Structure formats: structure tokens, C-alpha cells
Amino acid sequence: MGGGVIGLSCAYELQKRGHQAVVLEINRCGGQASGAAAGMLAPYSENVEGPDAFFHLCNESLRLYPEWVKEIKRVSGREFEYTESGSLYIAYHEADRLALEGRLLWQREHGSTGALLEGEELFAREPLLSREVKAALYTPEESHLYAPDYVMALEQACRLTGVQIEEQLVQLTVEEWRNDVVVKAQDGRSFNGDRLLVCSGAWAQELADVFGIRIPIYPIRGQICAYEAEVKPVQHMVFSNQGYLVAKENRTLVCGASEDVAGFDTTVTDKGIERLRKWNKQAFPFLAEQTPFHRWAGLRPSTQDGFPLLGRLSASDRVVMAAGHYRNGILLSPVTAKVAADYIERKKLPEAMEAFDPERFSI
Ligand SMILES: Cc1cc2nc3c(=O)[nH]c(=O)nc-3n(C[C@H](O)[C@H](O)[C@H](O)COP(=O)(O)OP(=O)(O)OC[C@H]3O[C@@H](n4cnc5c(N)ncnc54)[C@H](O)[C@@H]3O)c2cc1C
């Protein structure tokens, strides 16, 4: 259930392993969070606290990316931007610089070949960056892709390998999930299977009563905007604790993103975009003269502890959950596909995966 980046990646992987996957989507594939994402693949910049289970999952997914991208492009026959740009996490104050130094220490033990840059060395790498910036943590390993095209390529890879995709199903009801799997659509169609994989993002909580567990996944709206950019004005993904900027091959400069509690409302507000603009100008003064030409929003599926719900249900190993990827669902798509497919095939997974147990909130 669910045709976002997670559902499509899982369906593709399962089909590749010889199963018949069926994607049931109430709207259209990629029409929610996945199509709205900035496409950053940034486990180091997104995990600032330390190397916990979530960081390891993100980092494992980043490592899978180069091969995964090649495969999805080859199988789908579609091109999409995938750029190994590296990232800069910027700091304006001496105290923040110290925090970056601390982060660099543990990140170097976990695959980063990063460095702390300042002065001429920093501005040579990112010439238009504000001279107010005191230092930046450079992480060459981080990359990004163009999420809408990636999701379309995934959908095409699914279709060409024989995944059955059913869209616009309006409303779906899980009728049976313990001894068999039966999902009914409002139009009377019935879908039967051996396993049910729940990939319905911010909407997954709707199934809590069906399975009798707590599914604390909530929508967090991300408002995001893009500037037109004739020549590539920003060379890396540039992060701060206020937001991020990333230049795309299609000559846009994407800037995100707010984190609003607004239910399932995807309206873009002037206030939300103004906050981003204020931060953008501070990081790149040339943006003071410019106005974003495109604004949009999506609903990140956030969980109570920030970790996704990924694993089997104890009441029936026919049901596997893969939802709640919050800010990192694009990054996590390859690893989620492999882990979810392993659960579907009833393989034994490493103990570390227990951190993502979908029933951890139900105890
Ligand atoms: C502004 C913004 C920027 C982001 N930037 C990044 C980024 O740079 N890098 C990154 O890794 N991540 C990013 N994310 C997060 C990422 O987009 C999400 O984590 C990811 O898209 C979640 O994928 P999903 O498939 O679980 O959810 P979705 O893409 O929301 O897909 C869920 C699908 O399930 C469908 N559905 C709902 N209910 C049902 C039902 N009952 N039955 C069947 N289908 C159902 C929905 O219609 C939807 O299509 C960003 C998100 C936003 C909003």
C-alpha cells in the first residue's frame, strides 16, 4: 500500500527477487512527499548528534546509491540527475565551529573524508558564500538527485519488470491480514496476496486500529522553493541549522524547508517562504535581489522518535511496515527496499534492525 518512493523501491526489489508485486495507490504514484523532496542524500549533515542506528541505516543507503542509480536508470531507460556534489555545513559563530569539529571527529570514524574549511579555502570552494560564514564542515561523500525524475524512473522500472500498479483507488480497506491478505477498494475490486507491505507514508497511522498497534506517524509539512539560476551559483549542498540550498542541473536553486505542524494541509504560506528567503540571503547575499519562481510543499511522515517503522508485525508475519522516513525517505529508499524485501522473505535480519521495530510504541 502506497506508491511513494518507499512503496515503489520495495515493489521493484521484490519483483526483481521473483515475486509478483502489486502497488496499491489511492492517488497517483509520487504525488505526495516523494515528489516534493529536495533529493539530498546526506546522512552526515542530517545526523548531527552521533552514530546511532538511524545514522547507520542512512549511511548504508548512501553506500548503495551509486549502483542503485545505475540499475534504476538502466532498467527504466530514463535519465535523472544524480550529482556527487559533496556538502558544506556552515557556521556563523565560533561556538558552532566547535560543534562542527566534534561532529567531524565521529563522522571520520564512519566513512567521511570530510574536513573543516575556513577563510580562503572555504571561499575558493563556494565563491558566493557570505563572508559572515566563519567555517564549514565539508563532506565530499554526500550527493543529491532530482527527486521527481527519480520517482518517475522508479515507477517505470517497476512497470517494465512486471509490477502491477493500481492508482486512483480512492479508498482501501484491509479486510484480512492474519491468515491471508485481502484489500478491498471502494469500487468493489479486491486484491489478494500472501503479504502486505505498508508504505503509506504520513497516512500509515490510519491502519493502527486494523492491526491493533500504535502507529505514531504524523505529517510535518515542508515548504520549499526554487530560484531560477542561469549559471550554477552554488557548488555544493549547503546546510545550516536553518535550512539548505542545492543547485540542480535544470538551472534551479532549491531552498528548503520549513517544518510545520499543519495536519494534512499542503498549502504554501508567505510566512513560510519568507523565513526561507531570510535565511537564503544571509547565506548567499546575491539572493537578496531574487524572488523564488516556484513554491511547493509536502508532508514528511515523522515518527515520535525520528526512526522509521520498518519490520514485521508480531501478530502476523504477513504484514511488514516500511513507513515514517521523515526527512530522509529519498536517501533511505534503496536500503529500505532491501530490508523490507528480506522481511517479506522471512529472512533473519541483524539485531540492529530492532531499533526500527514497528511495535516499539505499542509496548
Ligand atoms: C519539502 C520536503 C523536502 C524533502 N527533502 C528530502 C531530501 O532532500 N532527502 C530525503 O531523503 N528526503 C527528503 N524528504 C523526505 C521524503 O520526501 C520522505 O521521507 C519520503 O518521500 C517518504 O516516502 P513515502 O513513500 O513513505 O511517502 P509518500 O511519498 O508520501 O508516499 C506515500 C503514498 O501512500 C499513498 N497512500 C496514502 N494512504 C494510502 C492508503 N491507505 N493506501 C494506499 N496508498 C496510500 C499516498 O497517496 C502516497 O502516494 C523531503 C520531504 C519534503 C516534504
Side-chain angles (χ1 to χ4, degrees):
M1 292 175 82
V5 73
I6 299 298
L8 292 170
S9 301
C10 293
Y12 170 74
E13 180 70 20
L14 284 162
Q15 194 74 21
K16 191 175 94 173
R17 293 191 191 187
H19 306 284
Q20 174 59 59
V22 183
V23 174
L24 303 179
E25 167 57 55
I26 53 168
N27 203 308
R28 64 174 177 80
C29 289
Q32 293 290 350
S34 304
M40 290 172 311
L41 312 174
Y44 298 98
S45 300
E46 284 284 323
N47 290 280
V48 298
E49 300 297 337
D52 60 8
F54 185 66
F55 166 77
H56 289 300
L57 192 71
C58 289
N59 209 16
E60 168 70 13
S61 210
L62 180 72
R63 272 202 295 272
L64 294 173
Y65 245 103
E67 279 309 308
W68 176 258
V69 162
K70 262 191 227 152
E71 183 175 331
I72 300 302
K73 286 184 176 176
R74 178 175 48 77
V75 174
S76 68
R78 294 185 81 113
E79 273 305 313
F80 55 89
E81 179 186 3
Y82 167 70
T83 303
E84 294 179 337
S85 61
S87 69
L88 292 171
Y89 201 111
I90 59 176
Y92 293 94
H93 306 289
E94 199 53 32
D96 299 331
R97 183 187 185 287
L98 290 175
L100 294 184
E101 267 175 13
R103 216 190 293 170
L104 178 62
L105 282 179
W106 72 257
Q107 294 189 344
R108 287 187 73 104
E109 284 173 23
H110 295 279
S112 165
T113 57
L116 202 68
L117 305 182
E118 47 197 355
E120 281 317 305
E121 202 182 0
L122 172 59
F123 300 121
R125 282 211 156 266
E126 200 59 76
L128 299 183
L129 192 63
S130 162
R131 283 353 188 212
E132 298 290 310
V133 173
K134 292 279 172 297
L137 181 55
Y138 171 50
T139 309
E141 284 72 25
E142 296 191 321
S143 47
H144 64 96
L145 50 69
Y146 191 68
D149 290 350
Y150 166 52
V151 177
M152 276 165 69
L154 272 175
E155 184 182 339
Q156 182 71 350
C158 282
R159 290 187 192 278
L160 292 177
T161 48
V163 173
Q164 184 187 335
I165 298 186
E166 301 287 346
E167 294 177 287
Q168 310 287 0
L169 288 170
V170 186
Q171 197 189 333
L172 290 168
T173 313
V174 178
E175 299 260 315
E176 179 56 60
W177 55 278
R178 286 177 193 272
N179 305 310
D180 198 4
V181 171
V182 182
V183 178
K184 285 225 163 96
Q186 203 186 34
D187 63 9
R189 277 191 293 167
S190 183
F191 300 95
N192 296 48
D194 304 311
R195 307 276 197 282
L196 179 65
L197 182 53
V198 178
C199 305
S200 44
W203 294 265
Q205 44 154 315
E206 291 169 1
L207 293 170
D209 288 345
V210 174
F211 302 135
I213 59 167
R214 285 191 66 223
I215 306 181
I217 298 182
Y218 306 101
I220 295 290
R221 181 174 65 189
Q223 299 185 53
I224 178 164
C225 61
Y227 299 85
E228 274 175 23
E230 270 307 303
V231 277
K232 199 177 174 190
V234 175
Q235 309 308 312
H236 305 81
M237 290 179 283
V238 176
F239 291 87
S240 84
N241 51 14
Q242 301 290 311
Y244 53 77
L245 276 151
V246 53
K248 298 291 179 185
E249 252 171 21
N250 66 356
R251 299 187 174 187
T252 62
L253 180 61
V254 174
C255 166
S258 69
E259 293 191 0
D260 322 325
V261 178
F264 288 89
D265 181 4
T266 52
T267 310
V268 180
T269 66
D270 287 342
K271 195 172 155 209
I273 298 300
E274 268 320 302
R275 259 205 70 239
L276 294 176
R277 287 190 69 192
K278 202 167 149 205
W279 174 74
N280 297 340
K281 285 187 276 195
Q282 199 190 1
F284 286 94
F286 76 92
L287 287 173
E289 312 299 321
Q290 299 192 21
T291 309
F293 77 104
H294 187 203
R295 307 147 38 129
W296 67 100
L299 302 173
R300 303 182 190 90
S302 100
T303 62
Q304 217 163 297
D305 59 5
F307 287 20
L309 276 66
L310 181 54
R312 282 184 285 254
L313 295 197
S314 56
S316 168
D317 65 1
R318 289 180 182 277
V319 181
V320 173
M321 295 210 52
H325 293 73
Y326 192 36
R327 292 171 59 98
N328 289 287
I330 303 290
L331 167 63
L332 287 166
S333 54
V335 80
T336 301
K338 294 188 194 299
V339 170
D342 284 351
Y343 277 122
I344 291 277
E345 292 181 332
R346 300 191 168 126
K347 288 191 177 145
K348 192 166 163 37
L349 277 106
E351 234 168 72
M353 295 307 297
E354 283 169 18
F356 311 109
D357 181 354
E359 289 178 54
R360 65 187 181 276
F361 303 105
S362 305
I363 301 158

